[in-house]
Amino acid sequence: YDIVASGGTPVYSHNHTTYTVTADSTSINGTDYVAYIKDTAGNVTTCSVNVKKDVTKPVCYITPSGTAGNDDWFRSNVTLYMTVSDNTGRSTSNVHQYGISGSSTVNYNSRTSWPYSSNTSSDGVNFYCYVEDLAGNVGKNDYNLKIDKTTPSCKLQVISGEKGNGNWYITSPKISFVDSSGNSKAPTDSNSGILGYNISSSSTSSFYYSSLTTTVYSNTPSTGRTYYGHVSDNAGNVGRCEILIYRDSSAPRCTVVI
């Protein structure tokens, strides 16, 4: 006599009276195990039992969809999608219940997606997925979502320099980032935080560093020259402000002819 998995070939000399099932079932229908008994005359009798074994936890994953920024930040509304995987067939048809939510308490709400549209703090917001397979094994996963859709703002102001007539400066004016009260202060961001900032006469900037002020040392055309403040937050949102500067430190010349 012998016991083998369905489709196996019995070896009667083994005389096995027990069979230890070590592997998980590869199907939700389980596996048939067949006992063979042969008498001395050669007659064979069989009996079988169906065993469903699954000790492996299912897994779930959360995948975000939105406009990606820098350092795992998103710069748009985001939809979180949940997928599940189970070792017996690897599809939701083999899963008993599942869900996704912003709660760390198990919530089998049968949802596979979760939209989120609010800005978050630098700590982000945690979301969780839960899944239970037909055998009762439970899996859990989490995802930290960070959103910053807000372009950082800034303001420029001249904080020193001697003024002449009109809007003209007759010495080198110093331009600075300022707060709403006109105090020299670096730009701030309440969501992802400020990455860097600088002031230049170029309307575009591909680099960001902490430069609070700049001084205009050269005279400007009669129409003035525009200076730009560039500021980027950690999510990759870029803001810009500007100020028009007039500078003329050259005294007029005259010639006396006799």
Side-chain angles (χ1 to χ4, degrees):
Y1 45 87
D2 195 13
I3 303 174
V4 296
S6 178
T9 301
V11 179
Y12 293 101
S13 60
H14 284 169
N15 293 330
H16 287 153
T17 59
T18 62
Y19 186 100
T20 301
V21 179
T22 58
D24 283 359
S25 301
T26 58
S27 166
I28 60 173
N29 297 319
T31 303
D32 290 330
Y33 292 88
V34 183
Y36 293 84
I37 303 174
K38 180 187 286 188
D39 62 19
T40 56
N43 300 299
V44 176
T45 297
T46 63
C47 56
S48 65
V49 63
N50 181 265
V51 176
K52 296 179 179 179
K53 179 178 182 290
D54 182 3
V55 299
T56 303
K57 292 181 179 181
V59 293
C60 60
Y61 306 93
I62 297 177
T63 303
S65 177
T67 302
N70 299 330
D71 297 329
D72 297 325
W73 282 89
F74 283 88
R75 297 187 290 111
S76 69
N77 296 344
V78 173
T79 299
L80 300 173
Y81 293 96
M82 184 192 72
T83 55
V84 299
S85 177
D86 185 65
N87 64 320
T88 54
R90 300 184 180 279
S91 72
T92 55
S93 63
N94 304 312
V95 170
H96 175 50
Q97 51 188 354
Y98 54 87
I100 179 174
S101 76
S103 173
S104 59
T105 301
V106 176
N107 185 358
Y108 296 119
N109 54 20
S110 299
R111 294 184 61 164
T112 57
S113 65
W114 193 283
Y116 198 82
S117 59
S118 300
N119 285 338
T120 70
S121 69
S122 58
D123 294 329
V125 176
N126 290 325
F127 284 85
Y128 304 86
C129 62
Y130 306 94
V131 57
E132 181 183 1
D133 65 19
L134 295 173
N137 301 302
V138 174
K140 174 183 176 181
N141 211 339
D142 61 81
Y143 180 82
N144 181 259
L145 175 63
K146 296 188 292 185
I147 296 178
D148 184 354
K149 301 182 292 181
T150 304
T151 299
S153 61
C154 62
K155 181 181 179 181
L156 295 178
Q157 185 173 301
V158 175
I159 59 172
S160 67
E162 184 179 350
K163 261 197 163 185
N165 296 329
N167 294 320
W168 286 90
Y169 286 89
I170 57 176
T171 61
S172 297
K174 178 181 283 189
I175 306 169
S176 176
F177 288 102
V178 296
D179 60 18
S180 58
S181 299
N183 301 312
S184 181
K185 187 176 181 181
T188 60
D189 183 85
S190 60
N191 299 312
S192 62
I194 293 296
L195 173 66
Y197 43 86
N198 67 75
I199 304 171
S200 73
S201 58
S202 173
S203 62
T204 60
S205 182
S206 59
F207 58 93
Y208 301 96
Y209 55 89
S210 298
S211 177
L212 182 63
T213 64
T214 191
T215 301
V216 179
Y217 292 106
S218 59
N219 290 337
T220 68
S222 60
T223 53
R225 180 180 296 118
T226 301
Y227 285 81
Y228 301 89
H230 304 279
V231 55
S232 174
D233 62 25
N234 286 307
N237 299 301
V238 176
R240 194 182 77 175
C241 49
E242 59 187 63
I243 187 171
L244 182 62
I245 297 296
Y246 297 87
R247 180 188 185 276
D248 184 358
S249 62
S250 302
R253 285 181 280 178
C254 62
T255 300
V256 177
V257 179
I258 298 176

